[in-house]
Amino acid sequence: MITGCTTTGPVPINIVPLPEQQVAGNSHFTFSKNTVIQVENREQEPIAGLLADLFTSSAGFTPVVNTGSSAASASVIFSTDTTLVKESYKLDITPSRISINAADKAGFFYAIQSIRQLLPPAIESKEPVNNIQWNVPTLGIQDSPRFPYRGLMLDVSRFFIPKENIIKIIDYMAMLKLNKLHLHLVDGNGWRLEIKKYPRLTEIGAWRVAQRKRLLPTQKMLSQENKHLVGGFYTQEDMKEIIGLCRSTSG
């Protein structure tokens, strides 16, 4: 005789960092092409758009974002709660509705990042994913940051990181609710910031002779005076893009 058993109970909450308060349910909410996100004002629209855009590539649909006070047909609802502290949020997920309460843009943004982590990992795919239910577990969360400064330092002077990789790092920082990026741009090992008045700072200071055994595939190389050089720098336009992205993902 073969016997089996199943257990029912709260679904584990897999969010990093772990929320301050949490109550797990035993069901789920499903995102679909019929999902409607309701926001109160235009200030909240870009944040709601971040949630909607998560589904465009991987799921093949983009939830509609409506602005206004009517929430009768909405599945995800943003509501301002001035009793909450800065950067905090309340998230209540039932089988039929998701309610997000926050006092400021940062709180709504971090609530979206928690939902992002609760979704199946395939939500991060840049290609369509078939035969998957876009579920998040039912739960109740109240969360606020323990520390006001939650940062990451990248030493790009000693080891240059291409702009495209920096942008990916900022995205994952936002998902983990880190809010400060420190770039170590200048040191004896390399000068990484374009100064148009002093072009030789990057023409010379951004490059060094490559040690092939330590060269990674992503490192940029050029040949100068029969020497292989490795390095790079950020143009002023690159830095404007990086700074703009940091501002949009830090609340």
Side-chain angles (χ1 to χ4, degrees):
M1 177 184 294
I2 298 177
T3 61
C5 63
T6 59
T7 58
T8 59
V11 178
I13 299 175
N14 297 314
I15 297 177
V16 178
L18 193 67
E20 194 174 38
Q21 299 177 31
Q22 55 186 342
V23 178
N26 53 15
S27 187
H28 61 266
F29 172 93
T30 302
F31 284 91
S32 71
K33 62 182 180 181
N34 298 318
T35 299
V36 176
I37 304 172
Q38 187 78 28
V39 299
E40 299 169 308
N41 50 57
R42 295 196 178 278
E43 187 178 52
Q44 296 170 355
E45 286 179 357
I47 302 171
L50 293 174
L51 176 60
D53 290 345
L54 283 175
F55 299 90
T56 303
S57 298
S58 54
F61 62 82
T62 305
V64 174
V65 177
N66 287 339
T67 305
S69 58
S70 176
S73 62
S75 313
V76 182
I77 301 173
F78 284 49
S79 300
T80 300
D81 185 346
T82 56
T83 66
L84 296 175
V85 300
K86 182 181 178 181
E87 295 188 286
S88 67
Y89 66 90
K90 290 181 180 179
L91 182 61
D92 184 28
I93 303 177
T94 70
S96 60
R97 179 170 289 188
I98 296 179
S99 299
I100 304 171
N101 292 69
D104 58 5
K105 290 192 299 181
F108 287 113
F109 179 83
Y110 292 136
I112 295 304
Q113 299 307 314
S114 290
I115 294 173
R116 177 182 177 186
Q117 291 191 44
L118 291 169
L119 282 160
I123 196 66
E124 303 294 331
S125 173
K126 302 304 179 184
E127 302 294 334
V129 180
N130 299 318
N131 302 318
I132 189 168
Q133 293 291 314
W134 301 104
N135 296 337
V136 291
T138 53
L139 51 76
I141 287 176
Q142 181 166 345
D143 196 20
S144 60
R146 183 178 177 187
F147 303 104
Y149 191 109
R150 307 178 301 279
L152 177 69
M153 193 276 278
L154 299 176
D155 192 349
V156 295
S157 173
R158 289 176 173 80
F159 186 88
F160 180 69
I161 301 174
K163 181 194 73 173
E164 293 75 17
N165 291 2
I166 295 286
I167 289 173
K168 291 179 182 178
I169 290 170
I170 292 171
D171 182 41
Y172 292 126
M173 285 177 62
M175 184 169 64
L176 299 174
K177 304 180 180 72
L178 300 177
N179 64 355
K180 296 290 188 295
L181 175 64
H182 176 180
L183 292 179
H184 186 183
L185 293 165
V186 177
D187 210 322
N189 301 84
W191 185 287
R192 306 303 182 194
L193 180 62
E194 177 189 40
I195 306 295
K196 293 183 178 180
K197 187 176 180 181
Y198 303 105
R200 287 172 65 82
L201 286 172
T202 49
E203 289 175 3
I204 297 175
W207 306 94
R208 61 178 173 78
V209 176
Q211 299 181 32
R212 290 188 173 275
K213 291 183 179 179
R214 298 184 181 180
L215 191 63
L216 298 181
T218 55
Q219 287 185 287
K220 183 178 179 181
M221 288 188 63
L222 58 80
S223 182
Q224 181 176 311
E225 297 178 354
N226 296 320
K227 295 179 180 179
H228 291 290
L229 304 181
V230 62
F233 62 94
Y234 308 108
T235 67
Q236 292 189 9
E237 291 303 313
D238 289 339
M239 290 306 300
K240 288 178 183 178
E241 184 178 353
I242 290 170
I243 293 169
L245 186 59
C246 285
R247 286 174 175 170
S248 69
T249 58
S250 65

